[in-house]
Structures are given as structure tokens and as C-alpha cells.
Amino acid sequence: MTNDTAVFDAMRPDRESGEREWAGRMGTLDAIRRDGLEIDTASLAFCLHEWINSAGYVDIEVVCKFPLMLAL
């Protein structure tokens, strides 16, 4: 198995401060854009494609089984 899928932190504007904050998930470019969120390009990481759920986001339950396999 190889870390073959690029994922990024999904960001959204904070309603009070206007600053960007983490949306609580990592996902593919397509999923993040589709959902109207912003991409934190500095957060680029690679994971197994098996870790990506049907919505295009990293499935944290699967990741917890293999925590050291996320490549930065």
C-alpha cells in the first residue's frame, strides 16, 4: 500500500473574526471545493486511497487503525 492520494485541510471563515479556521476535516481538492470550503495548500499530505470515504474526505475511524501511515 502506498500513500497515493493528496489531501488537504478544509478551511472555512470564522463568523465572528472573519479569519480562516479548520473545518475539522481533511479531504481531496474536489470534495473541499464542492462543499464550498477553502483549501489550506500548506497542509498537503498523502494518504491511502482506501482511507477516503464516498464524500471525498479522510475517514478518521480508518486512519485510527493505522495512525503512522499519513505521509507529510
Side-chain angles (χ1 to χ4, degrees):
M1 292 193 283
T2 60
N3 293 331
D4 59 358
T5 305
V7 292
F8 298 86
D9 284 341
M11 306 296 285
R12 65 173 167 238
D14 179 272
R15 293 182 184 186
E16 305 220 356
S17 69
E19 298 290 322
R20 291 182 351 143
E21 66 178 6
W22 186 53
R25 33 178 149 161
M26 292 181 81
T28 62
L29 290 172
D30 291 337
I32 294 170
R33 288 182 180 144
R34 177 197 66 226
D35 293 343
L37 299 169
E38 297 178 24
I39 296 159
D40 179 4
T41 56
S43 67
L44 172 63
F46 293 88
C47 71
L48 304 173
H49 64 270
E50 293 90 353
W51 289 5
I52 306 298
N53 64 24
S54 61
Y57 291 95
V58 176
D59 185 330
I60 196 66
E61 291 180 15
V62 175
V63 173
C64 287
K65 294 178 185 176
F66 309 97
L68 298 178
M69 292 185 70
L70 188 66
L72 302 176

